[in-house]
Amino acid sequence: MARIVMKFGGTSVGDIERIKNVARRVKAEVDRGNEVAVVVSAMSGVTNQLVDYCTQISPVYDAREYDAVVSTGEQVTTGLLAMALQELGVDARSWTGWQIPLRTDGAHGKARIQSIECDELVSRMQRGQVAVVAGFQGIGPDNRIATLGRGGSDTSAVALAAALQADRCDIYTDVDGVYTTDPRIVAKARKLDKITYEEMLELASVGAKVLQTRSVEMAMKHRVRVQVLSSFIDAPGTLVCDEDEIVEQELVSGIAYSRDEAKITLVNVQDRPGVAATIFGPLADANINVDMIVQNVSEDGATTDMTFTVTNADLSRAVKVLEERKSELNYERLTQDSNVVKVSVIGVGMRSHAGVAKTMFQTLAEKGINIQVISTSEIKVSVLIAEEYTELALRALHTAYGLDAA
Ligand code: ADP
Ligand code: ASP
Ligand code: MG
């Protein structure tokens, strides 16, 4: 007997038939004698619709009200799945974040999980009841619903698995595992049997949305065995595990992209000590994450251009913050561009091998793709390019690094 957490994403619970299919999968685990908690997302498209309603009312909405709205999709699917399980003769009940309670910090819209009180869940699971838990949501210190950022149900699932000391956390989705790159864009993408926590963390953090970044951080910290697999076909998935469980390590293990980037340039900012702090301090205070940054060398020693990226969701707020401080920051003008994509190559092999970046730049040059911003880390190289080249760049790089499936 094992204790397992099963998580089903939006497509997997996208309509009533699919919810019934999920119920059958859950029942199969129960029939094997396992204690089961299930985490569900909202039906596919629902969260996008709810976010859209919020931005139609105000592009700079109150994040607490945003959370009140966007968390509702998950409440629907928990109730429906609990009913579908009951129909199959399985004892089940739904749980919202606040009922558990799953406590978070106060960063509405991208809250972090702080604790999960699961004594009640455990005693019911031990009696054979399936806990159907709403992903993506918890309760903040202000006693209000807080959501965990887009794709946050993965994190709910891994956090619950850690809190329940579960033997496994199975993430069921619409692809049958983690691939070398998004299989929906690159047909020659190859499925990985295993991937290290570290590489999965990098892949996720640069846009491979198959797992939310925080879920991988959490899995790595608590050593949760995470498996990514399909809710539609029975096939072995991908295990996210420690480096020493993987025999052969590739130089480049994956390529990811993120369309969720927007570029801001402050033209002619004063080139003086403290200018970066003056720009990025207020953005951090407004809870806006800045990703890539380039500061040009100033030709005249007096002014320079500062280019950086934020998520599309934060763009309006970032521009507002910077415009409000225009006189203090003393820049000439602000330009913004959301038609950009960040493409990244990842591999732990980069630590010991040179040439990964060179291959990337050459491949893009051969396709006539201009690189706007570059950033690197120990096991990653990222470039910002025009969005229209996403597919072309991914396919060319996938081939250049020898990742194409046979
Ligand atoms: P869910 O709704 O189940 O959470 P998501 O849409 O969030 O599913 O994540 C699954 C999607 O992630 C896939 O449909 C695929 O297009 C995308 N994806 C991006 N990169 C990868 C990758 N390297 N391997 C597998 N899927 C990936
Ligand atoms: N429903 C939320 C979203 O679409 C959470 C999730 O699916 O993981 O972002
Ligand atoms: Mg997801």
Side-chain angles (χ1 to χ4, degrees):
M1 193 204 79
R3 180 176 291 171
I4 57 178
V5 172
M6 305 170 81
K7 180 259 171 178
F8 294 89
T11 318
S12 310
V13 294
D15 59 34
I16 296 302
E17 265 324 300
R18 288 183 173 181
I19 290 176
K20 289 182 179 172
N21 169 55
V22 166
R24 284 189 291 271
R25 286 200 177 264
V26 173
K27 181 175 188 296
E29 292 294 359
V30 173
D31 289 347
R32 279 183 208 119
N34 295 322
E35 290 176 9
V36 184
V38 189
V39 173
V40 285
S41 294
M43 290 179 171
S44 59
V46 167
T47 311
N48 284 349
Q49 175 70 74
L50 295 167
V51 170
D52 188 50
Y53 289 150
C54 296
T55 44
Q56 280 185 50
I57 300 260
S58 161
V60 285
Y61 47 70
D62 177 341
R64 293 159 301 188
E65 302 306 349
Y66 165 93
D67 279 348
V69 175
V70 302
S71 60
T72 55
E74 272 73 11
Q75 186 169 336
V76 174
T77 44
T78 51
L80 292 174
L81 180 58
M83 280 180 209
L85 284 164
Q86 290 165 6
E87 281 297 304
L88 297 179
V90 178
D91 184 16
R93 78 151 269 192
S94 62
W95 297 85
T96 57
W98 63 266
Q99 287 172 328
I100 295 178
L102 182 153
R103 297 193 188 281
T104 70
D105 65 13
H108 282 277
K110 44 182 139 180
R112 280 182 177 272
I113 299 176
Q114 291 187 326
S115 66
I116 306 180
E117 287 166 38
C118 44
D119 293 352
E120 181 65 23
L121 286 195
V122 169
S123 75
R124 286 167 180 254
M125 284 165 68
Q126 284 171 338
R127 294 202 305 264
Q129 188 176 73
V130 173
V132 185
V133 176
F136 184 51
Q137 56 169 269
I139 180 165
D142 53 1
N143 225 18
R144 300 183 65 172
I145 297 171
T147 63
L148 310 178
R150 297 307 305 272
S153 298
D154 297 327
T155 305
S156 309
V158 175
L160 189 63
L164 290 170
Q165 297 183 306
D167 299 284
R168 278 183 1 236
C169 181
D170 294 342
I171 308 278
Y172 287 87
T173 181
D174 56 4
V175 282
D176 60 351
V178 179
Y179 282 71
T180 45
T181 191
D182 190 341
R184 296 193 190 287
I185 294 202
V186 180
K188 289 179 183 160
R190 202 157 32 83
K191 189 164 104 182
L192 303 165
D193 298 331
K194 293 179 176 175
I195 183 166
T196 65
Y197 288 116
E198 204 181 1
E199 284 171 322
M200 191 62 239
L201 185 61
E202 286 282 356
L203 267 180
S205 70
V206 293
K209 67 173 183 158
V210 61
L211 287 176
Q212 199 202 30
T213 310
R214 282 182 189 166
S215 73
V216 190
E217 271 169 19
M218 183 104 46
M220 194 164 161
K221 185 165 160 212
H222 299 282
R223 288 292 180 264
V224 177
R225 281 181 88 76
V226 172
Q227 223 184 147
V228 177
L229 61 182
S230 165
S231 56
F232 303 114
I233 54 168
D234 287 304
T238 301
L239 180 71
V240 188
C241 60
D242 273 321
E243 211 164 321
D244 51 16
E245 284 192 53
I246 297 184
V247 190
E248 250 179 83
Q249 204 67 60
E250 311 263 2
L251 177 57
V252 166
S253 52
I255 306 176
Y257 66 97
S258 169
R259 290 198 166 98
D260 190 19
E261 297 273 329
K263 184 179 75 167
I264 296 179
T265 300
L266 297 179
V267 181
N268 284 344
V269 226
Q270 280 187 347
D271 191 14
R272 56 169 171 81
V275 71
T278 331
I279 295 171
F280 298 116
L283 292 175
D285 293 343
N287 215 351
I288 295 167
N289 289 332
V290 173
D291 182 15
M292 308 172 95
I293 304 179
V294 274
Q295 182 188 334
N296 290 349
V297 180
S298 70
E299 277 174 27
D300 55 3
T303 59
T304 180
D305 293 347
M306 187 77 89
T307 297
F308 53 93
T309 62
V310 296
T311 63
N312 279 317
D314 282 341
L315 179 63
S316 305
R317 284 195 308 126
V319 168
K320 185 166 176 254
V321 166
L322 294 166
E323 281 177 345
E324 280 168 0
R325 287 172 179 73
K326 185 161 193 281
S327 54
E328 182 191 341
L329 298 174
N330 211 356
Y331 58 85
E332 190 186 306
R333 63 177 196 280
L334 180 157
T335 61
Q336 48 178 305
D337 182 3
S338 50
N339 294 320
V340 287
V341 63
K342 181 175 70 173
V343 174
S344 310
V345 299
I346 283 99
V348 290
M350 269 181 224
R351 284 204 197 102
S352 46
H353 288 80
V356 172
K358 185 186 120 196
T359 304
M360 184 173 202
F361 304 152
Q362 258 173 5
T363 308
L364 297 176
E366 279 159 19
K367 297 287 174 192
I369 301 171
N370 185 43
I371 299 173
Q372 303 179 13
V373 184
I374 301 171
S375 72
T376 61
S377 79
E378 214 189 354
I379 66 165
K380 172 188 80 189
V381 186
S382 304
V383 295
L384 194 75
I385 60 173
E387 190 173 7
E388 57 185 312
Y389 297 121
T390 311
E391 282 84 3
L392 180 63
L394 285 177
R395 289 179 193 143
L397 291 169
H398 200 264
T399 305
Y401 289 111
L403 294 173
D404 288 355

